[in-house]
Structures are given as structure tokens and as C-alpha cells.
Amino acid sequence: YVEEVSGKNPSDKTIITFFEDGAKKYLQTDAAVVEAVNNLQTVTQGNLFTRILTAATGVLRSIYTAINPDFAAGNIFRDVPDAYIHNQHGEISPLQMILASWRGLMSALHKDATFYEWMAMGGAQSTLVSPDRNYTQNSVDSLTKTRRERWLGSGVGGFFSQVLNGLQAISEYSEYATRIGVYTQAKKILSAKNADGKATLEDMRKAALASRDSTIDFARAGTSMRTMNKYVAFSNAAVQGFDRTLRTFNPRKLRYFGGTKESEQELFGAIVRLAISGVLPAIACFALNHDEDWWRNLPAWQKENNWIIGDGVKIPKGMDIGLRLASTLTEEFLNWAANNRPADLSRILPRKNDVVSKFVPTVLLPIFETSINYSLFMDKPIVPVREQNLPDYMQRDSFSSGFAKYIGEATGFSPRKIDHLISGYLGFLGKFALQGYDMTLGDKQFNLAAENLPMVRRLTFEPYRNPQIVQDYYDKSAEQEKFYNEYRATKKKPAGFDVALYQRLKNNRKAMQALSRRERALNNDIKITPDERKQKLRELEKMRIKICERVLVRNGGN
């Protein structure tokens, strides 16, 4: 298969070059093997700027995932429906998948024989977190040092290193749980087909591959995507998620397009599982919440990423594109049928802002968003329109950190943008540090509210924070004001100018400005408790929603 040769022809694609004792040597083998080996190289090439960019992207990827408990909390809920939809080794119920994931988590925590078997078969190579961990050094430390020496022996640096390792482990095990569950399920089904009922080595490998492919295999990438992933942290994850859905719901599995009976049954089974995990929960959430004004006006990104199961409670949706498409179509159809509102079919298309963010280097994204005053993920201005006419240091709300407000007053920079930059570059660590500052040196009282607790806050939200219809109100107001100014200048009515809508916007402008002044007064009032402030701000937001609905919604239509 492989033989050492004396030299290398630059155009020969069958040669692997390596060093041994400082001397360059050459191995000749099949061209496909050479390509695979070359793709395994992780040494960053390029100039100093690209090397810095690559290193910074790796750090940010770890901050967003490996040392982020909120990421782990989302994983636990996201992976189960994805694995259920893409399961190809026997039909199982959602409850069975949940139980399998629980057993997988216990297997990882106890590090039993199943865990090590799954690791040996390469199952862990598909996770997003595990490649960042130094397993060898951790294993040596656990054998040669006591727990006290590991935590305190290296001083402050050693202590924080152990804390970071612990956070990494939480995120890592949240990825392991469902994958090990799928492995055990697939192995059981494959082994049952053997005469002795025991799994062969090939069965184990197939089961491990099924576990890797049950959600997103983050190690699955081509040469071009590996290069892009060095600069845009989650570009490959986005592509692999889309590709995974296409492979599961490929029409070519139908016998009409050349598929087999087995592949056709596999496709129909996946469609049924998609309906169970995507359509039914969407119907339940709509039935539970559709009468609530806060639910109708939740920002689109909240509904696209979460199941809303009550006032302030949410569960992260699976990452599967098919699941999100099915749930969004169901919600829009029910909204049209029950509330007589036109379906917003633009929600089923990839948002242009998400597409743009996949091409902006991760290390530059927070700066880019701040410079254009727009959050691409949330699809809204960082500084809302109602605050853009204020001095920069006054652009803040009750969620702005005390640190950002202090820096804003000292430098004249917007506190909202300061918080956005800190969250963009430090993620959970930044939020944790800002909370610590606020509770010790800032102007906020210690508050154990759910939205302040790691992991728990991934399952909560503030119902009346940034309602969609208020954003729509200000967008329409800016749009119609431009049309009005064009009309005055040209004496010709622009195609998009709605005179009646412009008049309604104008008539309610003072009322909206008065609510904004009351909001700023509440945010600056240090005498009231956080709970009192939250309740009063909710009432103000309800008033805003009523005004916006009166202006924008006419006769039941948008």
C-alpha cells in the first residue's frame, strides 16, 4: 500500500512528504490517500494577518461553545429532535430517543465500557467541543496529581484553568449524550441481525458513524470549507446542517426517481418523524399562546430558534432545517387561519442577514455590526430608532450593564454598543463579568432572577422585550417620512407612499415619544427594585404595542 521512495516529482499527486530526524522523506501511495492526509494538516498557512485571524476565530469559537454553559443547555434540547428525525436504524418513539439520550449522558459521566467503546470507534470526533480539549495532559494530571494540586498547585492560573476545563466538560458532555444514545440504539439493532446476537467490529463502526451523522458531524468538511471555517467560526456547521437535511429528505429515495423500496420507506419514515417533532409542537405552542399580545409580537428570531411554551419560558428547537421550516409554515398557516393575518412566507427563506454573517470573519463581526448599528442575528438595530436622536451616552435601557453606562458617560460612547461588543467578543464570560460588576460596583441590586442564571436563562426570555411590532412601527415611520419628503420635493406621489398610514404615524408620534421619556425615567430611577422596574416597563411596552397595532393593523390585516 505504501513504499518509501528517494525523491518527489512536484506534479506527482501520489507522494506524501514528511520529516524524520530532521531529514525530508517521501512515501508513495494512492492519490486519494495523499489527498486525505493533506486535508488532515492543521498548520495554518498564510501571512501574519491570516494567522492572527485564524487564532482569534478559534478562541471565539471556544468562548461561544466550549466554555459556555448556555450552549450546553441548548444542546441538550436541540440534539434529541434532530437525532430522532435523522434516525435510520429502526423506528423509535420520541420518548425512546429521550431515554436513550439520558442513558448516553449517564454513560459519559460514568465513563463506562460503552463510552470508551464509542470513543474508540471515532464517535467523539464529530463534536464541536472535544477537539479543543487537551485529553493527554488532563489524563496525566489526574494520575500524577491530587485534586488539591490540580486546582491550587499552579496558583491562580491553575485554578482558572480547572474552571475552564470544567466548563468545557459541561458543553462536551451535552454533545455526547444524544450521540452515545444513538450509538447504543444502532448497535443493538445491527447486532440483532447476527446469528449470535453480538455486534461485530463492523457493526460498531456503522453505529459510531450513525451517531456522528445523527445531528451535525462538525468534522465533515471539504478543503474549501475547512479554510473558510478558520475565519468564520460556524460556516461549516451551517453548511453541514443544510446538507444533512437534504440527505435525509432526498427525493431520489423515491422509487419513481430510481430509489429502492427500502430508501422510499426510509424517506416516508423521516417525513412522519418530522411531522411529530416539528408540526405537532408548533400546533401546541400556537394553541397555548396565540391569544397573548406578547407572543404575537415576539421577534422572529425567538420563534425561529425556540418553542415558546408560556410567559417567559422557552425550549430551544432542534437545529435541523426541515424541522424549522415545518414549524414556521405551521405557525404562519395557523396565524392566518385564526387571526386573519397574511402569512409571512419570508420567514421560510434564509434571512439575508444570516447569509451575510456567514461570510464576515467572526473576529470582525461585532465591530462590523456596531459600525452599521445592526445585529444580523436578531435582525434589528443595536440602538433602536427611538434612541438614535439621543446623545450616544444616553442610548441605554434597563438591560444595559452598569459598566457600559459608566464607560459611556466617560467616553461618550453608546452603552448599548459597548454591551454588544463585550457580548460579541467574550460571550458568557463577558456577561458573567458584567453581572459581577453590576452586583458589586454598578447600580443594580443582586437578583437571582432566571434570566441571570447560567444555563437556566437559555430556557427563559423577557416576553415584552423588543416586541416586533414596535420595530415595525419605527421602520414604517422612517420609510413613510422619506416618501413624504420626496413627495414635498418632487410634487409627485411615490409608489410606496401611504397618506393614511403616514397621518396615523404622525398623529401617534407624541404618544410614543412620551412613553420613551417615561421609560428613560424608570431606567434612571435607582429607588425602585428590579422587579418593580420590570413590571412598570412591561406596562409601558403593552401601551406601545396597543398604539402600534392601532396604527399598523387595520381591519385584521397588516
Side-chain angles (χ1 to χ4, degrees):
Y1 295 108
V2 179
E3 67 173 324
E4 187 172 346
V5 293
S6 59
K8 176 186 177 183
N9 183 341
S11 62
D12 192 343
K13 296 182 179 181
T14 65
I15 299 295
I16 299 173
T17 305
F18 70 102
F19 284 88
E20 185 176 63
D21 297 328
K24 184 179 289 187
K25 295 189 176 183
Y26 308 94
L27 294 178
Q28 188 167 36
T29 185
D30 186 84
V33 176
V34 175
E35 183 180 4
V37 171
N38 289 337
N39 285 341
L40 291 175
Q41 296 183 25
T42 57
V43 178
T44 301
Q45 305 295 329
N47 56 36
L48 179 61
F49 176 73
T50 58
R51 291 199 297 271
I52 292 174
L53 207 61
T54 300
T57 302
V59 171
L60 289 175
R61 187 185 291 112
S62 295
I63 288 175
Y64 298 154
T65 59
I67 54 178
N68 182 5
D70 296 343
F71 171 79
N75 265 346
I76 294 171
F77 292 95
R78 285 194 302 256
D79 287 353
V80 170
D82 287 352
Y84 173 67
I85 291 171
H86 298 299
N87 170 52
Q88 297 179 6
H89 291 276
E91 290 298 326
I92 63 174
S93 68
L95 179 59
Q96 286 175 310
M97 182 59 73
I98 293 172
L99 292 176
S101 297
W102 173 255
R103 288 192 291 268
L105 178 60
M106 293 298 102
S107 176
L109 292 174
H110 293 122
K111 295 187 176 179
D112 59 13
T114 299
F115 170 77
Y116 284 113
E117 181 181 287
W118 174 72
M119 292 280 286
M121 293 298 107
Q125 294 176 10
S126 63
T127 62
L128 189 60
V129 176
S130 58
D132 296 326
R133 304 221 28 226
N134 191 337
Y135 289 103
T136 304
Q137 186 60 54
N138 290 341
S139 299
V140 171
D141 286 348
S142 67
L143 292 171
T144 60
K145 296 180 181 180
T146 66
R147 182 174 298 178
R148 178 179 177 84
E149 287 173 337
R150 293 199 303 270
W151 280 87
L152 302 176
S154 301
V156 175
F159 174 81
F160 281 107
S161 176
Q162 291 296 324
V163 171
L164 292 179
N165 281 335
L167 292 173
Q168 282 183 317
I170 292 173
S171 295
E172 183 179 79
Y173 284 11
S174 72
E175 290 192 84
Y176 284 175
T178 301
R179 296 177 193 269
I180 296 177
V182 171
Y183 173 76
T184 55
Q185 179 74 21
K187 178 185 167 185
K188 179 180 178 181
I189 293 172
L190 291 170
S191 61
K193 298 178 182 179
N194 300 328
D196 59 1
K198 295 181 180 180
T200 65
L201 183 62
E202 185 63 23
D203 291 335
M204 294 179 188
R205 288 172 177 164
K206 288 181 178 179
L209 183 60
S211 77
R212 292 180 60 154
D213 217 22
S214 60
T215 54
I216 296 178
D217 186 346
F218 294 102
R220 190 174 187 268
T223 305
S224 299
M225 189 50 64
R226 289 183 190 277
T227 301
M228 177 173 284
N229 214 47
K230 292 179 180 180
Y231 311 119
V232 184
F234 304 108
S235 56
N236 183 54
V239 171
Q240 293 305 325
F242 188 74
D243 175 76
R244 186 69 189 88
T245 300
L246 288 180
R247 285 186 284 127
T248 297
F249 298 99
N250 192 339
R252 292 185 178 180
K253 291 183 178 181
L254 294 170
R255 279 181 283 183
Y256 180 81
F257 295 109
T260 64
K261 180 180 179 181
E262 290 74 17
S263 66
E264 188 174 71
Q265 290 175 344
E266 183 182 290
L267 174 60
F268 289 150
I271 293 172
V272 171
R273 293 193 296 272
L274 176 64
I276 293 173
S277 57
V279 176
L280 293 183
I283 294 173
C285 289
F286 185 87
L288 188 66
N289 301 311
H290 77 280
D291 289 331
E292 304 290 343
D293 57 352
W294 57 263
W295 187 84
R296 292 195 301 272
N297 294 292
L298 272 181
W301 68 269
Q302 281 278 26
K303 293 182 181 179
E304 289 168 7
N305 289 280
N306 304 284
W307 300 116
I308 309 300
I309 61 175
D311 185 341
V313 182
K314 65 183 181 182
I315 294 178
K317 286 183 180 179
M319 295 298 292
D320 180 73
I321 296 172
L323 181 148
R324 295 185 175 216
L325 177 63
S327 64
T328 299
L329 281 173
T330 302
E331 289 173 0
E332 289 301 321
F333 171 77
L334 293 173
N335 193 40
W336 166 77
N339 298 324
N340 194 28
R341 292 190 178 186
D344 182 8
L345 297 182
S346 65
R347 287 185 61 200
I348 69 175
L349 301 173
R351 289 187 293 167
K352 62 181 184 300
N353 295 334
D354 283 342
V355 176
V356 169
S357 67
K358 297 300 184 291
F359 291 93
V360 178
T362 304
V363 71
L364 301 178
L365 186 59
I367 294 177
F368 173 73
E369 290 181 326
T370 302
S371 66
I372 64 174
N373 186 39
Y374 208 85
S375 170
L376 297 177
F377 175 72
M378 293 186 180
D379 196 17
K380 69 180 184 67
I382 298 171
V383 178
V385 175
R386 63 178 180 271
E387 295 179 11
Q388 290 176 10
N389 291 328
L390 294 172
D392 286 358
Y393 76 92
M394 294 180 66
Q395 295 170 353
R396 60 197 188 191
D397 66 357
S398 61
F399 295 95
S400 299
S401 68
F403 177 79
K405 288 187 282 189
Y406 173 78
I407 297 299
E409 291 175 356
T411 63
F413 200 65
S414 168
R416 284 186 182 267
K417 292 183 178 179
I418 294 172
D419 279 335
H420 184 79
L421 286 171
I422 293 174
S423 296
Y425 283 114
L426 297 179
F428 163 77
L429 295 179
K431 293 177 181 178
F432 184 77
L434 291 175
Q435 286 179 3
Y437 177 92
D438 284 344
M439 293 176 182
T440 54
L441 302 175
D443 58 358
K444 296 184 179 180
Q445 302 176 19
F446 182 76
N447 187 6
L448 282 177
E451 62 264 24
N452 294 329
L453 300 178
M455 297 187 77
V456 177
R457 64 186 172 194
R458 183 64 182 87
L459 309 177
T460 64
F461 68 99
E462 174 54 43
Y464 287 95
R465 185 178 184 183
N466 302 319
Q468 185 64 46
I469 197 166
V470 175
Q471 180 62 42
D472 294 342
Y473 171 91
Y474 283 108
D475 288 344
K476 281 292 183 183
S477 182
E479 174 194 79
Q480 293 299 312
E481 191 65 34
K482 290 180 180 178
F483 285 142
Y484 174 72
N485 290 335
E486 179 184 349
Y487 178 55
R488 289 184 60 187
T490 63
K491 306 302 181 185
K492 295 180 180 180
K493 183 182 177 182
F497 186 37
D498 185 332
V499 178
L501 174 60
Y502 175 77
Q503 195 59 48
R504 293 198 303 272
L505 289 165
K506 184 178 179 181
N507 292 341
N508 287 274
R509 190 174 300 162
K510 290 184 178 180
M512 293 292 283
Q513 291 172 346
L515 290 176
S516 295
R517 288 194 295 270
R518 290 175 62 183
E519 179 184 29
R520 288 194 294 273
L522 279 172
N523 288 331
N524 293 327
D525 189 349
I526 62 175
K527 296 180 181 180
I528 61 176
T529 66
D531 288 337
E532 290 174 332
R533 180 182 291 109
K534 179 190 290 188
Q535 187 59 40
K536 292 183 177 182
L537 288 173
R538 273 195 179 194
E539 295 304 318
L540 290 182
E541 212 62 77
K542 289 179 182 179
M543 295 179 191
R544 275 203 187 100
I545 289 173
K546 288 182 179 179
I547 293 174
C548 294
E549 287 182 335
R550 185 170 64 243
V551 172
L552 299 181
V553 182
R554 306 291 289 178
N555 299 323
N558 286 339

